[in-house]
């Protein structure tokens, strides 16, 4: 697709701001540099090789993915060391074995004796020495062996006896997204680290090397005070940041690199609302700021160049319509938001909004540079 101006791009479409992206990457690299731990960037947010290469500038070679489609896409672009960080589905074990046989240094994760049994059986059947990290639950958020679950050791022993490589432990403190204060996120980071370290110690006590201690989310990576003993951090959304991260104090609204370009298509004069051509198909249904001190609806409205327009939000969405309103109830004027005016919407959740689009327009120095594809599917 050839580059155009912001006035010419078909709406709705996704924009990514190069300067903000670079600054977000530099900020995370600085934080982890100070804590002396390498980043294994999670590429599920960007799903694009040009942006991934910038994320990997300071941490060459190793990345995290959330789908096998991402693994294939990034492997095709030369990134060989990939952690597939979703509990492995037994139905995917053959596909993992095929990728490992093709030279992909693909690691998988699991968090139950049942999954370890399936992996061990597949290892024998397919003659594949799977490289496995055991997921540990630090906060009751989603997945992982609970602290003190003897199945952690039982699974590790079964995998090792079955010819698999027990690489170590991974923890994702997703509960950090619900913290109310940055101090609480720092505490969550300490909990995440301790959960990972104590599980790694348990594996070492049964004679396994378990060299990898992998932790991370963008909030915990941002506010970690100490990562001693941790061998890598995983974070992804930091690359673009979003309104949920701004609500947590992880970034400012001005740091958000991703936006949806939209156009005003009408007015609801009686209610002082404005209608745009970006509904939930363009923005996603994510309402991640709903539980935060400032609810940003389905996104925060900026002018076409990304400048502040006050607290105007996308209050409601239909499939292809968005309804804008001022957060304090002040009516919006049709004169200020005429039909045809272009606006940008900052997303609640960058991964979810980006996931609605096949690619982005890269914006640098205020100008549209080029189209960047996004890898899609599973
Ligand atoms: C296992 C795992 N690691 C790391 C991350 C990255 O966290 P964030 O999106 O906060 O950067 C995620 C995100 O969901 C994840 O699921």
């Amino acid at each position: 697709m050839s580059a155009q101006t912001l006035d010419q791009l078909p709406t709705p479409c996704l924009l990514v701001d190069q300067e903000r992206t670079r600054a977000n990457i530099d900020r995370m690299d600085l934080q982890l540099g100070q804590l002396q731990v390498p980043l294994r960037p999670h590429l599920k947010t960007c799903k694009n090789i040009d942006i991934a290469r910038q994320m990997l500038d300071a941490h060459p070679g190793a990345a995290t993915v959330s789908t096998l489609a991402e693994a294939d896409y990034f492997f095709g672009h030369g990134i060989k060391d990939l952690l597939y960080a979703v509990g492995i589905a037994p139905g995917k074990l053959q596909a993992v074995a095929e990728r490992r046989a093709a030279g992909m240094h693909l690691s998988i994760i699991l968090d139950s004796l049942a999954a370890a049994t399936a992996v061990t059986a597949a290892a024998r059947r397919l003659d594949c020495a799977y490289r496995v990290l055991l997921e540990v639950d630090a906060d009751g958020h989603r997945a992982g062996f609970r602290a003190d679950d003897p199945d952690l050791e039982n699974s590790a022993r079964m995998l090792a006896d079955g010819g698999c490589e027990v690489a170590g432990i991974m923890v994702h403190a997703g509960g950090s997204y619900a913290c109310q204060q940055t101090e609480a996120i720092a505490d969550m980071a300490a909990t995440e680290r301790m959960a990972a370290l104590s599980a790694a110690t348990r594996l070492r006590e049964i004679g396994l090397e378990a060299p990898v201690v992998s932790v991370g989310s963008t909030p915990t990576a941002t506010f970690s005070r100490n990562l001693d003993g941790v061998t890598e951090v995983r974070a992804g959304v930091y690359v673009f940041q979003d309104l949920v991260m701004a609500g947590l104090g992880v970034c400012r609204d001005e740091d958000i690199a991703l936006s949806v370009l939209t156009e005003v298509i009408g007015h609801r004069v009686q209610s002082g609302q404005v209608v745009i051509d970006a509904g939930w198909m363009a923005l996603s249904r994510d309402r991640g700021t709903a539980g935060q001190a400032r609810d940003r609806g389905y996104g925060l409205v900026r002018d076409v160049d990304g400048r502040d327009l006050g607290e105007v939000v996308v209050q409601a969405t239909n499939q292809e319509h968005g309804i804008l309103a001022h957060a304090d109830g002040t009516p919006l004027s049709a004169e200020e938001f005429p039909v045809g005016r272009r606006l940008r919407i900052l997303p609640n959740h960058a991964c979810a909004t980006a996931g609605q689009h096949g690619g982005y327009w890269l914006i640098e120095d205020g100008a549209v540079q080029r189209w960047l594809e996004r890898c899609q599917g599973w």
Side-chain angles (χ1 to χ4, degrees):
M1 273 190 248
S2 60
Q4 305 167 61
T5 67
L6 280 173
D7 289 337
Q8 293 167 332
L9 293 178
T11 58
C13 68
L14 196 61
L15 307 178
V16 63
D17 181 299
Q18 173 55 35
E19 286 90 357
R20 291 183 184 195
T21 299
R22 187 71 248 177
N24 291 337
I25 292 170
D26 290 347
R27 218 173 305 117
M28 183 60 83
D29 288 350
L30 180 67
Q31 154 74 351
L32 295 181
Q34 281 163 351
L35 295 170
Q36 298 187 315
V37 182
L39 181 66
R40 178 187 278 275
H42 205 317
L43 304 182
K44 76 189 181 102
T45 312
C46 72
K47 295 192 189 239
N48 167 271
I49 187 60
D50 297 73
I51 295 169
R53 286 202 178 109
Q54 297 184 55
M55 298 167 82
L56 287 160
D57 264 358
H59 319 271
T64 313
V65 293
S66 63
T67 65
L68 290 182
E70 286 165 45
D72 290 343
Y73 169 80
F74 289 112
F75 182 66
H77 287 283
I79 303 170
K80 293 196 169 65
D81 182 351
L82 294 163
L83 170 63
Y84 172 43
V86 176
I88 191 66
K92 293 196 172 82
L93 285 167
Q94 169 129 13
V96 172
E98 285 163 7
R99 281 153 182 81
R100 285 184 61 84
M104 190 189 290
H105 188 57
L106 181 63
S107 306
I108 57 174
I109 67 168
L110 59 83
D111 68 349
S112 69
L113 194 58
T117 306
V119 170
T120 309
R124 292 212 175 90
R125 193 174 68 249
L126 302 169
D127 191 24
C128 176
Y130 292 104
R131 187 170 190 270
V132 184
L133 273 76
L134 301 183
E135 181 171 12
V136 171
D137 185 13
D139 55 9
H141 174 67
R142 184 171 70 190
F145 288 100
R146 295 302 171 103
D148 303 331
D149 182 348
D151 277 351
L152 177 80
E153 285 93 338
N154 295 338
S155 301
R157 208 175 281 119
M158 177 190 288
L159 289 162
D161 291 348
C164 297
E165 180 187 346
V166 180
I169 296 294
M170 64 80 67
V171 183
H172 169 62
S176 60
Y177 306 123
C179 287
Q180 302 290 336
Q181 286 163 345
T182 56
E183 205 45 36
I185 301 175
D187 291 345
M188 184 71 81
T191 305
E192 183 181 54
R193 169 176 168 265
M194 282 315 298
L197 286 182
S198 59
T201 302
R202 283 166 55 194
L203 295 189
R204 289 162 192 164
E205 279 169 2
I206 60 165
L208 297 169
E209 215 177 311
V212 178
V213 180
S214 179
V215 302
S217 67
T218 290
T220 52
T222 302
F223 293 111
S224 276
R225 303 184 199 100
N226 171 11
L227 288 171
D228 290 355
V230 168
T231 63
E232 63 180 33
V233 169
R234 304 176 319 278
V237 82
Y238 76 96
V239 67
F240 297 146
Q241 302 288 13
D242 57 27
L243 293 169
V244 167
M245 291 298 130
L248 290 173
V250 167
C251 68
R252 306 163 304 164
D253 293 345
E254 307 88 271
D255 298 320
I256 300 172
L258 197 72
S259 57
V260 173
L261 184 69
T262 181
E263 197 164 295
V264 174
I265 57 171
H267 301 96
R268 288 155 57 101
V269 178
Q270 279 88 346
S271 48
Q273 292 169 318
V274 172
V275 186
I276 57 171
D277 67 352
W280 56 257
M281 280 290 281
L283 301 172
S284 90
R285 277 200 186 276
D286 195 288
R287 289 280 293 112
T289 55
Q292 295 188 325
R294 269 196 308 181
D295 182 347
R296 262 66 196 276
Y298 289 86
L300 181 66
V301 180
R302 293 299 197 220
D303 82 358
V304 70
D305 296 311
R307 282 186 293 260
D308 198 345
L309 291 174
E311 201 61 18
V312 180
V313 300
V314 184
Q315 191 180 56
T317 51
N318 295 142
Q319 186 166 345
E320 302 295 353
H321 297 72
I323 308 292
L324 309 187
H326 201 289
D328 69 7
T330 315
L332 300 178
S333 77
E335 291 72 36
E336 196 189 344
F337 292 95
V339 168
R341 179 173 181 184
R342 294 200 153 202
L343 300 164
R344 289 196 203 182
I345 314 297
L346 303 182
N348 276 330
H349 183 182
C351 308
T353 299
Q356 302 294 116
H357 298 259
Y360 335 72
W361 291 100
L362 186 73
I363 310 296
E364 197 165 8
D365 297 328
V368 183
Q369 298 296 335
R370 64 204 158 90
W371 173 254
L372 301 180
E373 71 196 343
R374 282 173 53 83
C375 143
Q376 293 184 292
W378 286 264

